[in-house]
């Protein structure tokens, strides 16, 4: 069983300049993903592969991982599909070994709050389910589209609940359970990429609920908050 660990880090970042190599508690953000990937080598027969178009990122990681792969410009735009970028990297890496990988684990650089235990336990889920194509990490959502999330109605200025097709609920507890994707990691079986999916969510997708705090970095405030938690030992788990 061969596992390819992908870490995708393009150079352009609009929300936070050079986010992937921005220092987080004295360490470039991408290093959190690389260090976790290196730990996984003692648990899986795996290869770590980096997808980037940026020379500065390559220089930052050069002491940890050597890479000759350069992401094509058409896969490094703001509107590029990450699934396409991962598939391009897989085909490159498979050409090097003249064989296919069985599983792909994508570690999102922007979501560093995950543990080795999270990865190992989640892999056990997808490995044991012969029908499952993909699996990703989630947390229980604090907002519920059946109860307290609204959207603008089409063609007018009024609003209604996002989900309107499962009845009326008078409390969050009585509404259907929902989860937030936290972008920490995504597992894929190799067949997923042969079926030309454009989203990690398919009719055969599973989830792994992370019980500890976990969220991805979208804004400078997110970055500041995560750094505060790490510096002050406020995380409810050990990175």
């Amino acid at each position: 069983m061969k596992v390819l660990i992908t870490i995708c880090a393009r150079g352009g970042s609009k929300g936070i300049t050079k986010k992937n190599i921005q220092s987080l508690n004295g360490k470039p953000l991408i290093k959190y993903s690389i260090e976790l990937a290196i730990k996984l080598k003692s648990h899986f027969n795996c290869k770590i592969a980096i997808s980037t178009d940026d020379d500065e990122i390559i220089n930052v990681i050069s002491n940890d991982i050597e890479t000759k792969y350069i992401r094509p410009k058409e896969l490094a735009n703001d509107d590029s599909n990450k699934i396409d970028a991962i598939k391009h990297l897989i085909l490159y890496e498979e050409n090097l070994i003249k064989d296919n990988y069985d599983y792909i684990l994508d570690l999102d650089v922007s979501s560093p709050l995950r543990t080795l235990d999270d990865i190992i336990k989640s892999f056990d889920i997808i490995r044991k389910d012969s029908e499952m194509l993909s699996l990703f990490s989630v947390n229980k959502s604090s907002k519920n589209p059946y109860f307290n999330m609204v959207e603008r109605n089409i063609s007018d200025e009024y609003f209604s609940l996002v989900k309107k097709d499962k009845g009326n609920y008078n409390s969050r507890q009585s509404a259907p359970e929902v989860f937030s994707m936290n972008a920490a990691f995504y597992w894929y079986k190799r067949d997923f990429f042969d079926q030309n999916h454009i989203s990690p969510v398919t009719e055969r997708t599973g989830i792994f609920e992370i019980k500890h705090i976990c969220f991805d970095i979208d804004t400078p405030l997110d970055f500041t908050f995560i750094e505060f938690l790490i510096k002050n030992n406020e995380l409810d788990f050990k990175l």
Side-chain angles (χ1 to χ4, degrees):
M1 180 193 68
K2 296 183 292 299
V3 176
L4 181 67
I5 301 176
T6 59
I7 300 175
C8 299
R10 67 187 184 93
S13 176
K14 297 297 189 292
I16 304 173
T17 303
K18 298 183 179 181
K19 178 172 73 173
N20 291 315
I21 55 175
Q22 185 79 254
S23 177
L24 177 65
N25 196 33
K27 182 164 58 180
L29 179 60
I30 193 172
K31 292 267 190 158
Y32 289 87
S33 296
I34 290 174
E35 289 175 358
L36 177 58
I38 291 172
K39 289 179 185 177
L40 286 167
K41 293 184 107 178
S42 63
H43 294 270
F44 302 118
N45 173 21
C46 64
K47 164 76 182 295
I48 304 170
I50 305 293
S51 173
T52 186
D53 60 324
D54 188 88
D55 289 339
E56 193 170 1
I57 292 175
I58 292 174
N59 289 334
V60 167
I61 67 172
S62 60
N63 290 331
D64 302 295
I65 296 177
E66 181 182 353
T67 180
K68 294 181 180 179
Y69 175 85
I70 302 296
R71 191 193 300 192
K73 290 182 179 180
E74 63 270 19
L75 296 177
N77 299 317
D78 288 343
D79 57 353
S80 297
N81 188 324
K82 190 179 183 183
I83 299 295
D84 292 337
I86 294 173
K87 184 175 182 179
H88 193 271
L89 178 59
I90 292 169
L91 295 176
Y92 173 87
E93 293 292 338
E94 289 181 339
N95 184 59
L96 294 179
I97 64 171
K98 307 303 179 188
D99 197 3
N100 288 345
Y101 285 92
D102 302 297
Y103 293 90
I104 292 84
L105 169 64
D106 184 60
L107 298 177
D108 198 304
V109 176
S110 69
S111 188
L113 301 183
R114 69 235 143 166
T115 68
L116 187 66
D117 193 52
D118 293 331
I119 304 298
I120 293 171
K121 287 181 177 177
S122 62
F123 176 69
D124 205 38
I125 295 173
I126 192 171
R127 180 181 62 83
K128 290 180 177 178
D129 191 325
S130 61
E131 297 299 316
M132 189 180 293
L133 279 176
S134 60
L135 176 148
F136 50 78
S137 58
V138 300
N139 291 102
K140 281 187 178 178
S141 177
S142 61
K143 297 294 183 181
N144 193 309
Y146 297 99
F147 178 67
N148 57 4
M149 294 178 69
V150 298
E151 64 182 349
R152 187 184 300 277
N153 291 329
I154 298 174
S155 76
D156 65 39
E157 62 185 55
Y158 299 106
F159 289 76
S160 60
L161 286 172
V162 175
K163 292 287 187 181
K164 303 178 284 290
D165 58 348
K166 284 198 174 184
N168 297 315
Y169 301 96
N170 296 319
S171 69
R172 178 175 55 83
Q173 290 77 14
S174 65
E177 190 174 35
V178 296
F179 300 89
S180 296
M181 298 171 71
N182 55 37
F185 60 84
Y186 302 80
W187 278 107
Y188 301 97
K189 288 181 180 172
R190 181 61 180 81
D191 289 348
F192 171 94
F193 293 94
D194 290 332
Q195 295 178 17
N196 297 316
H197 294 287
I198 60 174
S199 165
V201 184
T202 75
E203 293 181 351
R204 292 157 57 190
T205 294
I207 64 167
F208 179 80
E209 183 185 351
I210 292 180
K211 304 292 187 178
H212 56 76
I213 187 170
C214 182
F215 60 93
D216 59 331
I217 299 171
D218 279 332
T219 68
L221 183 59
D222 294 332
F223 208 101
T224 299
F225 183 43
I226 286 185
E227 188 163 54
F228 172 84
L229 293 174
I230 296 173
K231 278 185 175 181
N232 293 277
N233 295 315
E234 293 291 339
L235 292 175
D236 52 351
F237 65 98
K238 185 175 180 179
L239 272 174

